[in-house]
C-alpha cells in the first residue's frame, strides 16, 4: 500500500504517499486482532446466497488503493460496480489484503455473496451461478484493461477471505542500471541507478527472517496492537527482466548450438541463468560500452525481493526493501540491519521504498 520524494524521478509512482484515509489501513491483515474481529463477522446468511472466493489481478498505479473511498477509483469500488451490473443488485466486497495506491496485485483475493434472482419472475431465487460463469461475466463488465478476475471458487457461507488466509507473499522489483527506465517498465519497479551488492543484501535478509519485534519496520498509522510478526521468508534473487525479446546474438547462439525451440524456456525454468540478459549482454556488465546498434537499448538488471508471512505490519515490506537497498548500495552494513531491528523505532530505518515496485503475489488458503 513515503519517504521517497515523488518528484525525484519519472519512474516513481505519482501516488506513493498514502492518502489520509488509506494511511489508516494496513497492507495486509493482522493476526493479533483476528479473534476479536471474527466476533463481528455475521455467520448467518440469507437463504439463496452463494459466497464466492474471487482472485483478482490489477495495476495498482491505476487505483487510489484497494478500499472504498469517496469520489476515488478503487479496486473494491470497481469490482462492486461490475458485480452490480452482472446480478442487478449491490454487493459487498471483502478483500483478504488491503493495498495502498500504487501497489500491484498478481493475485489478491476477496469474497462476495451473490443471490441469483430470476429476471423473468422477479423475486424468484434461482440456483447459484457456476464459478466459471461468474468469472466470465464480471470480466465482461470490468473491461478497463487494468483489473481482471483470474479465478472464482464457490465456498461455504462461513469462509472469510481475510480470516481464512494462511499466508501472504509479496514481491518487490528493483531495476538496476544507469539507463533511463523503459516506458514499458514505468510504475512497475523501483529504478536504482547504482549497482547493488546482491550477496550483502542476501546476508541482510538472514538477520530479518524469523519472529521479531518489527517496530522499526512499522509505519505511523499502523493499527496493529502488536509489532511482533513472523517473517517466514525474505530473499533476494536476480531474475530475467521482463518482457524479454531474444537478440540476434542469442538467436544465433541458439541455432549454432543445435538447441530446440524450447531451450531458452527450459533454461529459465531450471534456474540456470542467474542474470538479466539484454541483447546477450548483462546491463552494466563488462561489455557495457559495446554498441548494440541504433535504437537498441541496454536492459536493466532485475532483482526481486520476496517477503512471505501470515500477516504484515503497515508498510512493513516497503520499509524492509528500503533497508535492503541501502545495504546493496553500501550505505548500510549487515551489522547496521541488526542495529535497526533492535532499535525498535521507525526513525532508525532507511527511507521507505516506493509503492510502484510492490506486488501482492499470492494469498494462500488451506485446501485451496
Amino acid at each position: 500500500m513515503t519517504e521517497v520524494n515523488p518528484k525525484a524521478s519519472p519512474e516513481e509512482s505519482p501516488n506513493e504517499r498514502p492518502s489520509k484515509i488509506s494511511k489508516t489501513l494496513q497492507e495486509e491483515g493482522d493476526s493479533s486482532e483476528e479473534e476479536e474481529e471474527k466476533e463481528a463477522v455475521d455467520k448467518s446468511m440469507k437463504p439463496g446466497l452463494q459466497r464466492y472466493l474471487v482472485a483478482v489481478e490489477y495495476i495498482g498505479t491505476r487505483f487510489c488503493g484497494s478500499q472504498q473511498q469517496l469520489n476515488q477509483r478503487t479496486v473494491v469500488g470497481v469490482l462492486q460496480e461490475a458485480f452490480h451490473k452482472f446480478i442487478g443488485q449491490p454487493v459487498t466486497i471483502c478483500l483478504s489484503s488491503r493495498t495502498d495506491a500504487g501497489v500491484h496485485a498478481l493475485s489478491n483475493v476477496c469474497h462476495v455473496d451473490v443471490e441469483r434472482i430470476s429476471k423473468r419472475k422477479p423475486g424468484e431465487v434461482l440456483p447459484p451461478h457456476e464459478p466459471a460463469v461468474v468469472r466470465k461475466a464480471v470480466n465482461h463488465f470490468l473491461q478497463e484493461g487494468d483489473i481482471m478476475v483470474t479465478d472464482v471458487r464457490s465456498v461455504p457461507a462461513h469462509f472469510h477471505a481475510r480470516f481464512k488466509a494462511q499466508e501472504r507473499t509479496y514481491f518487490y522489483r528493483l531495476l538496476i542500471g544507469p539507463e533511463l527506465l523503459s516506458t514499458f517498465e514505468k510504475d512497475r519497479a523501483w529504478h536504482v541507478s547504482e549497482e547493488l551488492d546482491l550477496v550483502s543484501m542476501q546476508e541482510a535478509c538472514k538477520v530479518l527472517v524469523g519472529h521479531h519485534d518489527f517496530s522499526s519496520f512499522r509505519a505511523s498509522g499502523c493499527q496493529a496492537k502488536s509489532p511482533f510478526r513472523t517473517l517466514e521468508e525474505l530473499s533476494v534473487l536476480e531474475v530475467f527482466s521482463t518482457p524479454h525479446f531474444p537478440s540476434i546474438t542469442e538467436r544465433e547462439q541458439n541455432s549454432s548450438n543445435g538447441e530446440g525451440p524450447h531451450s531458452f524456456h527450459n533454461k529459465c525454468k531450471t534456474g540456470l541463468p542467474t542474470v538479466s540478459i539484454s541483447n546477450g549482454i548483462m546491463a552494466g556488465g563488462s561489455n557495457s560500452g559495446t554498441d548494440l546498434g541504433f535504437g537498441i537499448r541496454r536492459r536493466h538488471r532485475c532483482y526481486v525481493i520476496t517477503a512471505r508471512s501470515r500477516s504484515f505490519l503497515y508498510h512493513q515490506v516497503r520499509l524492509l526493501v528500503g533497508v535492503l537497498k541501502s545495504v546493496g548500495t553500501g550505505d548500510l552494513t549487515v551489522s547496521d540491519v541488526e542495529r535497526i531491528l533492535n532499535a525498535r523505532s521507525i526513525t532508525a530505518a532507511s527511507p521507505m521504498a516506493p509503492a510502484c515496485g510492490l506486488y501482492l503475489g499470492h494469498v494462500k488458503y488451506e485446501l485451496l
Side-chain angles (χ1 to χ4, degrees):
M1 65 261 55
T2 168
E3 307 288 339
V4 180
N5 183 353
K7 297 182 180 179
S9 69
E11 299 80 37
E12 296 172 4
S13 166
N15 298 315
E16 286 166 18
R17 274 184 206 279
S19 66
K20 291 182 180 179
I21 296 177
S22 63
K23 195 171 183 179
T24 63
L25 302 175
Q26 297 177 16
E27 281 179 356
E28 302 87 15
D30 296 314
S31 60
S32 57
E33 294 82 27
E34 188 168 307
E35 291 301 323
E36 189 175 298
E37 293 185 19
K38 277 183 179 179
E39 297 177 1
V41 178
D42 185 4
K43 295 182 179 179
S44 63
M45 182 178 286
K46 181 181 176 181
L49 284 178
Q50 172 62 56
R51 176 161 292 186
Y52 296 98
L53 198 65
V54 181
V56 294
E57 64 179 19
Y58 50 84
I59 301 172
T61 47
R62 308 283 179 82
F63 299 90
C64 295
S66 61
Q67 294 299 100
Q68 190 85 27
Q69 297 182 43
L70 185 63
N71 299 324
Q72 298 289 345
R73 186 171 187 261
T74 65
V75 173
V76 165
V78 169
L79 285 173
Q80 286 182 163
E81 182 179 358
F83 268 96
H84 193 176
K85 291 178 179 178
F86 168 40
I87 64 174
Q89 53 187 319
V91 298
T92 299
I93 302 289
C94 181
L95 280 174
S96 67
S97 305
R98 304 164 184 173
T99 58
D100 276 352
V103 178
H104 312 290
L106 304 177
S107 180
N108 200 347
V109 180
C110 66
H111 74 245
V112 57
D113 299 328
V114 174
E115 184 179 38
R116 186 184 178 191
I117 302 296
S118 173
K119 295 181 179 180
R120 295 181 178 179
K121 298 181 179 179
E124 181 182 358
V125 179
L126 301 176
H129 292 287
E130 290 296 320
V133 173
V134 175
R135 176 184 175 183
K136 183 177 181 179
V138 174
N139 278 332
H140 170 75
F141 290 111
L142 287 174
Q143 289 187 356
E144 300 273 357
D146 49 20
I147 183 170
M148 183 177 73
V149 172
T150 60
D151 201 0
V152 177
R153 304 281 180 91
S154 298
V155 293
H158 61 80
F159 195 99
H160 198 282
R162 184 178 180 189
F163 301 142
K164 289 292 186 180
Q166 301 294 309
E167 192 173 77
R168 295 167 173 86
T169 300
Y170 277 80
F171 300 112
Y172 197 98
R173 295 182 72 230
L174 301 103
L175 292 178
I176 303 128
E179 294 278 338
L180 291 176
L181 206 62
S182 165
T183 301
F184 296 103
E185 292 287 10
K186 185 178 180 181
D187 294 336
R188 302 291 195 277
W190 185 8
H191 179 210
V192 180
S193 58
E194 311 102 306
E195 282 297 308
L196 298 181
D197 185 337
L198 180 60
V199 175
S200 294
M201 294 173 71
Q202 291 171 334
E203 287 299 313
C205 287
K206 297 176 183 178
V207 174
L208 298 166
V209 169
H211 186 72
H212 302 289
D213 179 339
F214 282 103
S215 293
S216 296
F217 301 92
R218 179 187 192 184
S220 60
C222 181
Q223 296 178 329
K225 294 182 179 179
S226 171
F228 285 89
R229 290 294 183 269
T230 301
L231 196 54
E232 300 290 350
E233 177 186 357
L234 186 65
S235 61
V236 190
L237 291 174
E238 184 168 10
V239 301
F240 277 92
S241 179
T242 55
H244 179 86
F245 304 101
S247 68
I248 185 170
T249 303
E250 289 175 301
R251 298 195 302 270
E252 288 176 347
Q253 288 177 345
N254 188 71
S255 177
S256 63
N257 292 335
E259 296 176 331
H262 302 295
S263 61
F264 187 76
H265 168 75
N266 292 334
K267 288 179 181 178
C268 293
K269 188 175 181 180
T270 57
L272 292 179
T274 58
V275 296
S276 297
I277 296 178
S278 174
N279 303 300
I281 302 173
M282 290 189 299
S286 59
N287 295 322
S288 58
T290 302
D291 184 6
L292 303 179
F294 180 75
I296 301 179
R297 298 186 47 160
R298 187 173 306 281
R299 296 288 293 272
H300 295 80
R301 301 179 73 162
C302 181
Y303 289 178
V304 172
I305 296 173
T306 303
R308 180 168 54 86
S309 178
R310 189 167 189 265
S311 64
F312 292 88
L313 300 169
Y314 182 53
H315 284 168
Q316 181 181 351
V317 178
R318 290 166 61 189
L319 286 163
L320 289 168
V321 172
V323 166
L324 292 177
K325 181 261 185 182
S326 294
V327 171
T329 58
D331 295 327
L332 293 177
T333 66
V334 175
S335 297
D336 289 329
V337 177
E338 294 186 63
R339 172 183 56 78
I340 292 170
L341 180 64
N342 294 329
R344 298 180 176 87
S345 172
I346 184 61
T347 59
S350 299
M352 183 165 60
C356 60
L358 184 60
Y359 295 75
L360 173 56
H362 180 62
V363 182
K364 180 181 177 182
Y365 294 93
E366 187 176 1
L367 303 179
L368 284 181

